[in-house]
């Protein structure tokens, strides 16, 4: 299976800050990567697919970049509503696997 | 309104079979995408269990393949998960979800999730 790692495990930032979350795959996955946001007690929500494509309805302060094995999710202008845990998921090779998550909190 | 809704027992005894159903509404279950099951636990994180196409084709996670069956009932617009010989390690929140399309396994619609506890 492809192993997904994320860093940092958690981040605390101020409203308006820029937050970067990194995801690394154990082997190259081209651009077959998605990012999800999950709030407590809720299902994951698709934010970014194909590494950098913004899902419909998702605020433009969310962006994704990277290819191969290294990817980044950027939240520019952090908002209180962005408090959540963020997961990456590879969609290149079965079985689909997820990172362990990065928890984003507000100072 | 497009939505998925999981249903099934919240408590299952060890060695028995976990059975869940996902009701699909607002979108055709015969549309060009995969219907998937996931689970999430503090120990295992988010885990893909498997999926099914409306024609009946399936994919399963090898780690669970020997115990999993996913089926679809187009007439009732729902798909189902059976997981046999459960243990405490199968305790989790179970989600059903829809892939973006038949070739892209990104998941753009999720159910609210249902908690399943395995205990005697």
């Amino acid at each position: 299976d492809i192993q997904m790692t994320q860093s940092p495990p958690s981040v605390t930032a101020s409203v308006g800050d820029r937050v970067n979350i990194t995801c690394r795959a154990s082997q190259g996955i081209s651009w077959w990567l998605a990012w999800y946001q999950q709030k407590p007690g809720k299902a994951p929500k698709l934010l970014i697919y194909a590494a950098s494509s913004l899902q419909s309805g998702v605020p433009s302060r969310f962006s994704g970049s990277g290819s191969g094995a290294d990817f980044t999710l950027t939240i520019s202008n952090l908002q209180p509503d962005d408090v959540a845990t963020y997961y990456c998921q590879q969609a290149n090779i079965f079985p689909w696997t997820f990172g362990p998550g990065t928890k984003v909190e507000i100072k | 309104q497009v939505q998925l809704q999981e249903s099934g027992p919240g408590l299952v005894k060890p060695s028995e079979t976990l059975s869940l159903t996902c009701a699909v509404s607002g979108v055709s279950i015969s549309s060009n995408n995969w219907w998937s099951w996931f689970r999430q636990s503090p120990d295992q994180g988010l885990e893909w269990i498997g999926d099914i196409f409306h024609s009946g084709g399936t994919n399963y996670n090898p780690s669970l393949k020997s115990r999993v069956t996913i089926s679809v009932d187009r007439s009732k617009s729902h798909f189902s998960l059976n997981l046999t010989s459960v243990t405490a390690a199968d305790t989790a929140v179970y989600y059903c979800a829809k892939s973006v399309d038949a070739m892209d396994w990104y998941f753009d619609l999720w159910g609210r999730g249902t908690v399943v506890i395995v205990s005697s």
Side-chain angles (χ1 to χ4, degrees):
Chain A
D1 297 3
I2 295 178
Q3 306 302 315
M4 307 299 291
T5 57
Q6 289 183 233
S7 61
S10 65
V11 57
T12 303
S14 300
V15 172
D17 281 357
R18 184 185 192 91
V19 172
N20 288 319
I21 300 169
T22 297
C23 175
R24 175 165 288 179
S26 59
Q27 64 186 75
I29 57 171
S30 187
W31 58 85
W32 293 98
L33 186 102
W35 290 98
Y36 297 85
Q37 175 194 67
Q38 187 177 33
K39 297 182 178 181
K42 302 292 187 182
K45 173 187 174 183
L46 180 64
L47 299 176
I48 302 284
Y49 63 93
S52 61
S53 296
L54 191 68
Q55 174 68 358
S56 175
V58 173
S60 58
R61 62 180 181 275
F62 291 94
S63 64
S65 63
S67 66
D70 294 302
F71 303 86
T72 300
L73 173 69
T74 298
I75 310 173
S76 59
N77 188 21
L78 185 70
Q79 296 299 301
D81 189 52
D82 301 336
V83 170
T85 300
Y86 294 83
Y87 296 93
C88 59
Q89 175 233 328
Q90 66 83 15
N92 184 232
I93 296 176
F94 283 111
W96 317 130
T97 48
F98 291 81
T102 295
K103 190 172 184 180
V104 174
E105 296 175 305
I106 299 282
K107 280 182 189 173
Chain B
Q1 182 181 1
V2 179
Q3 65 176 11
L4 305 179
Q5 179 66 59
E6 305 90 349
S7 61
L11 180 64
V12 182
K13 289 183 168 55
S15 80
E16 295 190 345
T17 296
L18 180 162
S19 296
L20 298 174
T21 294
C22 180
V24 178
S25 58
V27 59
S28 171
I29 201 164
S30 297
S31 58
N32 197 39
N33 53 261
W34 292 86
W35 302 100
S36 305
W37 286 99
F38 295 84
R39 66 183 185 180
Q40 186 174 29
S41 65
D43 290 344
Q44 296 295 321
L46 270 167
E47 182 178 28
W48 172 73
I49 298 171
D51 50 38
I52 191 165
F53 204 67
H54 60 81
S55 60
T58 54
N59 301 296
Y60 296 131
N61 192 322
S63 69
L64 297 167
K65 188 173 183 178
S66 63
R67 299 194 291 132
V68 172
T69 302
I70 297 175
S71 58
V72 63
D73 187 330
R74 293 193 299 273
S75 67
K76 295 183 179 178
S77 196
H78 74 213
F79 62 106
S80 300
L81 168 70
N82 274 4
L83 180 66
T84 62
S85 305
V86 297
T87 69
D90 295 309
T91 294
V93 179
Y94 284 76
Y95 294 99
C96 58
K98 179 186 82 65
S99 73
V100 169
D101 58 41
M103 297 301 293
D104 296 306
W105 275 270
Y106 309 114
F107 303 94
D108 61 349
L109 179 66
W110 294 67
R112 296 176 67 177
T114 188
V115 176
V116 177
I117 297 172
V118 177
S119 175
S120 55

